């Protein structure tokens, strides 16, 4: 037990030292902004994220990154600065667990930092399903798609087809927004929605994006329909395909991304 306590103290001292260095090098964490109405929602129900000081020891395990990119941070929340950006399927060694975060060692370069447990998988786990969606997420995607197509039908517009590749892109955008603690169309990693879609090899003649931070997809949909810019995207007859991504957010409950394209 004393050895474990000494190890824990050493690890956290190391992480604390890294925090000071990173703060000097990179400055403060990016601000969360609520942009003007350009095809996004500004529904900003605020919830306070609570954390616990309980520590859980784990045996050394190798885990792998499930997201396209994952920020390794100086501490167990998105309030801490980034030590290193990990890539999909990159391996890390788990040192210990703090709430919903792991303290890990990056195996190729030896960096130590914290990553969210949501974006790691183990070789004997079914967590690596390619897009981060759970069965509950898939049900929510279906619910939102049905609401959108019902609204289009009521307005004499044809139904949107759920595009698997566009949904994969929307899911990555939702995960990026949660992991990097921002609410905006523009991502520091992916750029604008249009740049992001093109970077995945998709082509389109027109495109749009609605984003929401809300407790449910139903609430997000009705908020969109009460906003002229968002409703215009939903009801636009030229759009043929849609992609939907949903990610659990400690700030909003859910981050929901819906992309639209005309093919």
């Amino acid at each position: 037990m004393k050895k474990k306590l000494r190890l824990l103290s050493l690890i956290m001292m190391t992480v604390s030292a890294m925090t000071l260095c990173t703060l000097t090098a990179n400055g403060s964490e990016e601000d969360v902004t609520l942009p003007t109405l350009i095809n996004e929602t500004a529904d900003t129900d605020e919830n306070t994220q609570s954390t616990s000081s309980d520590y859980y020891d784990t045996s050394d395990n190798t885990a792998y990154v499930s997201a396209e990119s994952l920020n390794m941070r100086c501490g167990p929340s998105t309030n801490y600065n980034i030590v290193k950006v990990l890539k999909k399927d990159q391996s890390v060694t788990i040192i210990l667990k703090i709430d919903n975060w792991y303290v890990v060692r990056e195996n190729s370069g030896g960096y130590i930092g914290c990553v969210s447990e949501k974006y790691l998988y183990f070789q004997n786990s079914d967590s690596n399903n390619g897009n981060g969606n759970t069965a509950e997420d898939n049900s929510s995607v279906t619910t939102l798609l049905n609401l959108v197509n019902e609204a289009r039908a009521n307005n004499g517009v044809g139904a949107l087809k759920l595009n698997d590749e566009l949904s994969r892109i929307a899911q990555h955008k939702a995960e990026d927004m949660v992991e990097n603690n921002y609410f905006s169309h523009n991502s520091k990693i992916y750029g604008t929605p249009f740049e992001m879609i093109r970077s995945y090899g998709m082509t389109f003649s027109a495109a749009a994006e609605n984003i929401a931070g809300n407790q449910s997809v139903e609430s997000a949909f009705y908020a969109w329909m009460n906003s002229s810019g968002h409703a215009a995207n939903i009801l636009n007859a030229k759009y043929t395909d849609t992609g939907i991504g949903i990610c659990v957010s400690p700030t909003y409950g859910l981050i929901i991304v819906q992309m639209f394209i005309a093919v």
Side-chain angles (χ1 to χ4, degrees), residues 80-197:
Y80 291 89
N81 278 31
I82 298 168
V83 176
K84 185 174 178 61
V85 178
L86 306 177
K87 299 302 181 183
K88 185 175 177 64
D89 296 326
Q90 187 170 347
S91 67
V92 295
T93 297
I94 293 174
I95 300 172
L96 57 85
K97 188 176 183 184
I98 308 173
D99 295 327
N100 296 323
W101 291 71
Y102 285 117
V103 179
V104 302
R105 182 177 67 250
E106 183 259 338
N107 291 332
S108 61
Y111 288 87
I112 294 176
C114 297
V115 297
S116 172
E117 68 174 354
K118 294 184 296 184
Y119 304 112
L120 294 181
Y121 70 93
F122 300 88
Q123 285 189 330
N124 60 349
S125 169
D126 294 330
S127 298
N128 185 29
N129 57 13
N131 64 6
N133 280 341
T134 64
E136 182 178 355
D137 293 333
N138 290 332
S139 174
S140 295
V141 167
T142 300
T143 297
L144 181 56
L145 180 65
N146 289 341
L147 287 168
V148 166
N149 279 335
E150 182 179 356
R152 287 172 67 90
N154 290 339
N155 286 271
V157 182
L160 292 170
K161 181 182 73 173
L162 187 65
N163 185 301
D164 289 342
E165 180 64 7
L166 194 59
S167 289
R168 186 169 76 95
I169 298 169
Q171 182 65 30
H172 291 167
K173 176 65 174 289
E175 292 172 358
D176 179 50
M177 289 173 66
V178 171
E179 172 62 21
N180 292 299
N181 195 27
Y182 73 96
F183 186 88
S184 173
H185 288 299
N186 296 331
S187 163
K188 291 184 178 180
I189 295 176
Y190 297 111
T192 68
F194 317 110
E195 291 169 338
M196 184 177 184
I197 294 170

Side-chain angles (χ1 to χ4, degrees), residues 192-251:
T192 68
F194 317 110
E195 291 169 338
M196 184 177 184
I197 294 170
R198 290 191 182 102
S199 74
Y200 281 71
M202 295 195 71
T203 58
F204 54 86
S205 58
E209 178 185 76
N210 284 352
I211 60 176
N214 216 309
Q215 295 295 319
S216 69
V217 294
E218 293 89 347
S219 296
F221 169 77
Y222 293 120
W224 283 341
M225 292 305 293
N226 283 323
S227 163
S228 59
H230 301 83
N233 286 338
I234 290 171
L235 301 177
N236 194 322
K238 68 184 176 184
Y239 295 133
T240 56
D241 291 38
T242 190
I244 298 171
I246 301 169
C247 189
V248 174
S249 164
T251 303

Side-chain angles (χ1 to χ4, degrees), residues 44-64:
T44 60
D45 292 341
E46 295 183 356
N47 295 295
T48 302
Q49 180 182 5
S50 61
T51 59
S52 168
S53 59
D54 293 335
Y55 291 83
Y56 301 90
D57 184 33
T58 68
S59 57
D60 285 349
N61 287 313
T62 299
Y64 301 86

